[in-house]
Amino acid sequence: MFSTLRSILWAVACVWVLVGCEAGPPPTNLAPAKEKAAQCVEPTQDIRKNHMAYLMKHRDETVLDGIRTPQHSLAECINCHVAPTRADGSPVHYEDQDHFCATCHTYAGVKLDCFQCHADRPEVTNQPNYQHKIGSSESYHFTNQVSKAASLSAQDVKTLTNEVVQ
Amino acid sequence: MSNKAMVYSEVHQSGWGYYGLLAASAFLVGLGLIAFFYLEHTGHHATGMTNQIVWGLPHVFAIFLIVAASGALNIGSIGTVFNNKPYKPLGRLSGLLAIAFLIGGLMVLVLDLGHPDRLIIAMTHYNFKSIFAWNIILYNGFLALAALYIWTMMDRKMQRFYKPAGFAAFFWRLVLTTGTGSIFGFLVAREAYDSAIFGPLFILISFSLGLALFILITFGLFHWTHRTLNDELLTRKRYLLALFIGAVLFFEAIFHVTALYAAEHTNFETFILLGGSSYSVWFWLGHVVLGSIVPLFMLLLPMCRGRVRSLLMASGLVVVGSFIQLYVIIIGGQAYPLTLFPNADVSSSFFDGVINTYSPSIWELMLGVGGVGVAAVMIVIGVKVLRFLPVSLAQADLGQEPD
Amino acid sequence: MSTNQVNEYRRRFMAGLGLVTGATLASNFVLRSTEAAELVSRPDNEPASSAKRWGMLIDVNRLTEGGAAMVEACKKEHGWGNDPQSSAEQQPQWMRVVKVTDKTTQHSFQLPVMCQHCANPPCVDVCPTGASMKRADGIVYVNKHICIGCRYCMMACPYKARSFVHEPLKDQKVHSPRGMGTVESCNMCVHRIDKGQLPACVEAAPEAVIFGDLNDPESRISQAMKALGGKQIRADLGLNTGVRYLNI
């Protein structure tokens, strides 16, 4: 009797493992981000693997020393990747399946701890221009970015904004 | 005189009594876990703790169990450190009780945290100026030393470390209890605390509470496992228990009389002692009369002295009285408002200047009894699985334990 | 009394009156609203330094309703005060208006009380993980990444400045993360200071509050405190607060 039970358990285990062998994580919705820039702040494979390390390092710099560079800022990630509402106007939060972070994190089974405290979508009321172009003078770090904007070349602006520069 | 070695054995009982007790303890643990999962998910708004009464019933339970743990090791120390031979056989049980109570108390403390998932951070990031951080180290060290102490008693190869382990555990727990008291003693902000007396006061509370609990549990365990216990072994401790009760009263008296002498503390002392609130009633009736004076009578009056029943009742009252005392210290101390401007009435939207009220929710009670349940489960399983209990502590066996 | 003595007394009285009036009016000139030009935005890759120590001087007599506008500005900036599931006693309050009436003199005044940003903060001393911290430039706040929510800092603060978040939160302000299970308090609007802006409460009451660098003897706040004083709440505790008051 136990040998039958054992075989049944083996069969169930095999089926279970095989069912888990899908194609991989569901594709993330990169449409909001593509409106801002062609490329993330770091190469895709790098950021996918190491975003937690970047964020952990940057959060200590910001909190302990007051360093607020936008490169690895969580708020800038959210500004780029998360649209504040869906097309029908309903708010999107990190527990929802269509939140940018949730698509991979639900698949990987890694709990999202950030948004217990941090806003999980851009705050449109206070930052109407949250989808600012990188390096524009209208970013919400405007006092820091103004000088940098002036140093962008025409080619850079064209690449970033896909606009024709006169 | 025969040199019979003390024999220890596991508890053999396997009937309804044993499993009933285990089931009841496990039920309490279940209550605690349900409360924890609910509070972790829904947040502390479901409790009675607020921004005014910051630490509540769970903390009273936790401190009660931690102080009891420190005191429970006292019996072992009486045998090891003070070389009182009749009590050496109880050393193993004293170690088990100490570990069980401490784990129960720590469990309540940790599960009440706002972010218990960050316990690893608490164990790896230390602010060494914080007495709380020191306590984390002290509690873990205490567990290790108590375990080592038990090991030296149970393993013949380790017997040569028996004395050093006993001494180390004794001194470590004095530091630990001082540290627990200093959690309150180091707070300059609150008139109820901010005093050096809290370290020694907590040590004395641990002595009286630990001894009382040990008497009750030893009697219960021997009685239920039908092992012979010489009543005199317990009644000989009545003077010691009376001494500890008296010492606690003395330290409380010193603290309050000194505070009454200072004009700046008059308002607080009126509040806590002189009928300014329900905490005065709890303090006088609960802690002083019921928890100290009545037990003292029971322990010292000639007609009660020799009887085990009086000792057990006195111990029970001391346990209840200590709980009430900790409740008055922890909750009553927070109920009195902070003094922003001396000799002025203050009011604000943040409840400045008013006596803060606290009504514990059922979740906090469940969490607290969960800690008691964990301790009970550990004791009940421990005595069954390992040889903590002496087979017999009858007259002839006293004083025969080889060193 | 002879006529000469009466005249002498009258002269001294008028002189004294003139002195008091002059001193009161003088404070008018010193406590002009802070010029934001004094505050420079620190480059975003430069750490905060101990060369500066940020502080505030609040003149209670110039506040309306004891600073109610300051409290409202703080609420709006950081998003506290409206946690739906918490009871009134559980509601976080980073700043509140306290009404004080001396029992003997019956003199009464109102003042806003928030984290006093002590130089020797008891809350920083007691935090087991070091989450309650003082930044190099003197701002005291909670590193919520490592706060375990033990609430010991709340027990330790003499000003009851700290609050605990009792429920899960949604749609927090981007520049002011706050979440369940951690302790929070006034952080002097660090996110604004780093950008060279004034804290929200100071902007709401510019005629009554000076904000600036306590380490710089030439700064407006240092000069004002030198001329007019600057009392701490509970000065007896020796905490050397960064928030000082006039006329309390």
Side-chain angles (χ1 to χ4, degrees):
Chain A
M1 180 212 156
F2 279 115
S3 59
T4 333
L5 194 60
R6 214 181 328 171
S7 351
I8 294 176
L9 280 175
W10 256 116
V12 168
C14 288
V15 169
W16 196 313
V17 167
L18 287 171
V19 162
C21 292
E22 307 165 358
T28 47
N29 176 16
L30 286 172
K34 291 294 183 192
E35 282 177 32
K36 185 166 174 184
Q39 165 70 40
C40 185
V41 292
E42 302 289 344
T44 308
Q45 277 307 103
D46 183 20
I47 196 89
R48 197 173 270 164
K49 191 170 161 209
N50 297 322
H51 60 277
M52 203 54 225
Y54 288 127
L55 286 170
M56 293 271 275
K57 182 163 177 289
H58 188 78
R59 78 175 193 185
D60 285 341
E61 287 171 356
T62 304
V63 173
L64 301 178
D65 298 321
I67 291 171
R68 294 176 193 268
T69 48
Q71 177 82 351
H72 293 146
S73 151
L74 179 68
E76 290 290 354
C77 302
I78 299 297
N79 274 347
C80 217
H81 283 290
V82 180
T85 56
R86 297 189 187 91
D88 61 4
S90 58
V92 60
H93 287 294
Y94 73 101
E95 307 101 351
D96 303 326
Q97 276 307 308
D98 48 351
H99 188 272
F100 176 79
C101 310
T103 36
C104 281
H105 272 260
T106 323
Y107 173 82
V110 178
K111 185 175 170 196
L112 281 168
D113 197 33
C114 327
F115 303 114
Q116 281 192 30
C117 282
H118 285 277
D120 51 14
R121 56 182 183 139
E123 192 187 354
V124 185
T125 37
N126 267 7
Q127 303 175 67
N129 194 32
Y130 71 93
Q131 275 271 308
H132 49 270
K133 309 290 185 234
I134 291 178
S136 80
S137 62
E138 294 156 31
S139 89
Y140 81 104
H141 283 296
F142 79 99
T143 48
N144 299 326
Q145 295 282 29
V146 170
S147 50
K148 287 184 195 161
S151 64
L152 281 174
S153 71
Q155 178 59 34
D156 289 338
V157 175
K158 184 173 171 202
T159 312
L160 291 168
T161 65
N162 292 326
E163 283 168 14
V164 175
V165 179
Q166 303 295 329
Chain B
M1 247 202 264
S2 66
N3 204 10
K4 217 165 46 148
M6 180 61 54
V7 180
Y8 302 86
S9 76
E10 305 92 331
V11 162
H12 301 300
Q13 277 72 8
S14 290
W16 285 108
Y18 177 80
Y19 284 107
L21 189 59
L22 187 59
S25 310
F27 173 70
L28 292 181
V29 175
L31 287 181
L33 288 177
I34 291 173
F36 165 62
F37 286 122
Y38 179 67
L39 289 180
E40 196 211 7
H41 181 75
T42 198
H44 275 64
H45 73 90
T47 70
M49 293 183 277
T50 64
N51 287 324
Q52 337 301 328
I53 303 282
V54 173
W55 283 351
L57 196 58
H59 297 83
V60 178
F61 271 98
I63 304 274
F64 176 80
L65 286 169
I66 290 171
V67 167
S70 156
L73 202 58
N74 218 16
I75 306 298
S77 303
I78 290 177
T80 317
V81 175
F82 299 106
N83 245 334
N84 201 336
K85 282 201 171 55
Y87 294 94
K88 285 193 178 177
L90 290 169
R92 300 187 189 191
L93 182 62
S94 122
L96 173 67
L97 292 188
I99 292 180
F101 286 140
L102 190 66
I103 291 189
L106 287 180
M107 193 200 86
V108 179
L109 209 55
V110 166
L111 294 185
D112 171 76
L113 290 175
H115 260 282
D117 51 307
R118 293 185 184 166
L119 193 59
I120 299 291
I121 293 186
M123 310 268 282
T124 49
H125 290 60
Y126 283 106
N127 168 23
F128 284 112
K129 210 168 171 201
S130 163
I131 190 68
F132 215 97
W134 278 109
N135 272 322
I136 296 175
I137 298 174
L138 285 169
Y139 295 152
N140 287 311
F142 180 77
L143 288 175
L145 278 174
L148 179 67
Y149 180 52
I150 295 176
W151 187 16
T152 61
M153 286 183 278
M154 282 184 155
D155 187 353
R156 251 178 237 294
K157 291 191 281 288
M158 292 290 291
Q159 286 220 316
R160 55 204 167 97
F161 296 115
Y162 170 64
K163 284 276 182 178
F167 271 85
F170 179 69
F171 284 115
W172 190 276
R173 77 164 190 78
L174 286 180
V175 178
L176 181 151
T177 324
T178 312
T180 309
S182 299
I183 289 177
F184 300 97
F186 286 178
L187 293 178
V188 299
R190 299 187 185 247
E191 285 185 60
Y193 310 138
D194 188 27
S195 169
I197 208 161
F198 274 88
L201 175 65
F202 271 54
I203 288 188
L204 291 168
I205 298 177
S206 81
F207 284 164
S208 74
L209 177 62
L211 183 55
L213 272 172
F214 193 90
I215 289 171
L216 288 169
I217 293 179
T218 307
F219 186 85
L221 282 175
F222 273 78
H223 191 71
W224 292 329
T225 55
H226 308 300
R227 298 177 188 220
T228 328
L229 175 65
N230 180 11
D231 285 347
E232 212 201 307
L233 201 64
L234 291 183
T235 53
R236 263 159 61 158
K237 285 295 138 205
R238 65 187 179 281
Y239 289 126
L240 193 60
L241 185 58
L243 178 68
F244 290 155
I245 296 171
V248 171
L249 278 181
F250 171 61
F251 271 61
E252 284 271 9
I254 287 267
F255 175 69
H256 287 293
V257 167
T258 310
L260 277 165
Y261 203 85
E264 63 171 331
H265 293 311
T266 311
N267 285 333
F268 170 70
E269 288 297 320
T270 313
F271 165 77
I272 202 88
L273 280 193
L274 303 175
S277 64
S278 62
Y279 298 102
S280 315
V281 176
W282 283 110
F283 179 81
W284 287 111
L285 277 184
H287 168 52
V288 175
V289 171
L290 209 61
S292 306
I293 294 184
V294 170
L296 277 174
F297 275 113
M298 284 182 161
L299 291 168
L300 297 173
L301 277 182
M303 66 175 193
C304 301
R305 267 207 293 249
R307 301 196 343 221
V308 178
R309 192 165 301 184
S310 325
L311 178 67
L312 293 176
M313 273 202 66
S315 302
L317 288 174
V318 166
V319 172
V320 172
S322 299
F323 190 88
I324 293 175
Q325 177 189 22
L326 287 173
Y327 189 89
V328 169
I329 289 176
I330 295 177
I331 311 290
Q334 296 175 77
Y336 190 75
L338 293 167
T339 309
L340 287 177
F341 292 92
N343 197 39
D345 288 322
V346 293
S347 68
S348 77
S349 59
F350 204 29
F351 305 94
D352 287 294
V354 297
I355 307 293
N356 300 307
T357 51
Y358 173 63
S359 29
S361 68
I362 188 72
W363 306 105
E364 295 156 84
L365 182 62
M366 284 164 68
L367 198 57
V369 301
V372 175
V374 164
V377 163
M378 286 187 69
I379 296 169
V380 168
I381 292 184
V383 295
K384 180 134 178 81
V385 166
L386 289 172
R387 298 179 188 176
F388 283 104
L389 286 181
V391 164
S392 158
L393 280 178
Q395 180 72 42
D397 290 324
L398 287 177
Q400 302 292 338
E401 172 81 2
D403 263 326
Chain C
M1 241 197 288
S2 72
T3 323
N4 277 337
Q5 280 178 315
V6 170
N7 286 337
E8 180 61 40
Y9 171 74
R10 214 184 284 149
R11 271 192 285 271
R12 280 208 298 252
F13 180 77
M14 290 306 292
L17 202 63
L19 212 68
V20 167
T21 318
T24 318
L25 289 174
S27 69
N28 207 2
F29 297 101
V30 184
L31 275 176
R32 281 277 163 74
S33 50
T34 316
E35 285 157 17
E38 202 176 273
L39 298 161
V40 179
S41 159
R42 203 181 69 241
D44 60 7
N45 57 355
E46 191 183 292
S49 95
S50 52
K52 290 190 187 289
R53 186 192 169 196
W54 299 116
M56 275 201 271
L57 182 63
I58 302 176
D59 185 350
V60 161
N61 281 348
R62 289 173 196 277
L63 287 170
T64 41
E65 294 171 354
M70 294 170 72
V71 178
E72 287 310 306
C74 181
K75 276 189 190 174
K76 193 152 166 281
E77 180 73 14
H78 295 281
W80 57 267
N82 211 357
D83 296 347
Q85 291 174 292
S86 301
S87 71
E89 289 96 340
Q90 291 168 335
Q91 203 65 232
Q93 293 198 31
W94 294 25
M95 189 194 300
R96 74 264 192 200
V97 173
V98 177
K99 178 156 194 259
V100 184
T101 310
D102 189 277
K103 286 190 194 161
T104 317
T105 63
Q106 291 303 302
H107 171 67
S108 166
F109 58 90
Q110 287 183 307
L111 77 164
V113 178
M114 70 296 272
C115 169
Q116 303 287 288
H117 297 280
C118 314
N120 307 310
C123 64
V124 173
D125 286 342
V126 301
C127 177
T129 57
S132 176
M133 56 174 281
K134 187 175 74 160
R135 207 168 75 162
D137 55 359
I139 301 178
V140 177
Y141 57 90
V142 180
N143 177 357
K144 294 172 197 177
H145 299 129
I146 56 176
C147 174
I148 57 174
C150 72
R151 291 104 76 200
Y152 196 18
C153 62
M154 293 172 69
M155 295 284 274
C157 177
Y159 306 103
K160 206 163 62 163
R162 289 265 163 101
S163 301
F164 184 62
V165 180
H166 288 78
E167 61 185 90
L169 299 178
K170 250 189 187 21
D171 281 333
Q172 298 91 330
K173 300 284 176 191
V174 171
H175 46 253
S176 190
R178 45 188 300 257
M180 174 170 91
T182 55
V183 174
E184 53 181 15
S185 66
C186 156
N187 57 12
M188 232 192 245
C189 288
V190 270
H191 60 288
R192 301 188 108 205
I193 292 176
D194 286 350
K195 279 190 292 186
Q197 293 175 332
L198 292 171
C201 59
V202 179
E203 265 190 12
E207 72 289 350
V209 185
I210 301 183
F211 174 85
D213 179 8
L214 295 172
N215 276 352
D216 176 11
E218 304 303 321
S219 70
R220 174 155 271 123
I221 187 176
S222 299
Q223 288 176 340
M225 291 218 282
K226 186 157 184 215
L228 303 167
K231 275 176 101 174
Q232 306 174 59
I233 308 177
R234 292 303 304 274
D236 62 300
L237 292 175
L239 302 174
N240 188 7
T241 60
V243 177
R244 304 281 179 118
Y245 296 83
L246 290 176
N247 299 313
I248 60 167

